Amino acid sequence: MSSTRPTPSLRLSDRIAGAILLALAIWYWIAAGGYSVAYGDPAGPSLFPRMVAVPLGLFAAFLIVKPDPDPVWFRWPHVWGQIAMLAVLIVYPIILEPAGFPLSTSVAALLLARILGASWLQAVITGLVIGFGLFFLFDGVFGLALPTGPLFG
């Protein structure tokens, strides 16, 4: 009688992905600590990247602790999208300060929307609404000083 229970090596893929995402969340958290403002804003521009880092870290920990019991490895059309998403998430914090929050967030949201299957029009609208909407919310409403980059600078 053979067991249908997957071997532990099949669960390794989720744990590897979880470890990579956890490292990325830690990097987001540490990189956000370098953002500062000269005047008395207690939260500062590090708030948003850290708000991204926390759920990413929790999701990564979940993947490590409770991996999928029967993962499916490498469906090639989808792998390129996953690589592209990872690239966007790695490049985003690097360009955040030089390009500014509105532009870098708009571009990142646009690219992620396209990777997830949105049309170009939907992706552009999504990018603009998320990038400039969040900038208005955090900078204009909450008064958190975010890097403005060349657009407002």
Side-chain angles (χ1 to χ4, degrees), residues 82-94:
Q82 293 168 358
I83 291 170
M85 286 184 119
L86 189 58
V88 169
L89 293 174
I90 289 170
V91 171
Y92 176 71
I94 295 170

Side-chain angles (χ1 to χ4, degrees), residues 25 30 32 34 43 51-52 77 100 106 109 116 121 129 134 146 151:
I30 292 170
M51 285 174 41
V52 170
S106 293
L116 291 172
L121 178 61
V129 168
L134 287 177
L146 295 172
L151 290 180

Side-chain angles (χ1 to χ4, degrees), residues 2-21:
S2 68
S3 172
T4 59
R5 186 179 178 140
T7 62
S9 64
L10 288 177
R11 296 182 190 175
L12 191 58
S13 63
D14 278 356
R15 289 193 168 119
I16 291 170
I20 291 169
L21 291 173

Side-chain angles (χ1 to χ4, degrees), residues 32-113:
Y35 302 140
S36 62
V37 260
Y39 51 92
D41 182 9
S46 65
L47 179 66
F48 183 73
R50 287 188 169 169
M51 285 174 41
V52 170
V54 170
L56 180 60
L58 292 172
F59 174 67
F62 179 79
L63 284 177
I64 293 168
V65 173
K66 189 163 176 49
D68 187 342
D70 191 21
V72 177
W73 253 77
F74 288 116
R75 292 187 180 171
W76 277 107
H78 303 292
V79 171
W80 295 116
Q82 293 168 358
I83 291 170
M85 286 184 119
L86 189 58
V88 169
L89 293 174
I90 289 170
V91 171
Y92 176 71
I94 295 170
I95 68 167
L96 184 62
E97 200 161 347
F101 183 88
L103 181 60
S104 59
T105 304
S106 293
V107 170
L110 179 150
L111 293 172
L112 291 173

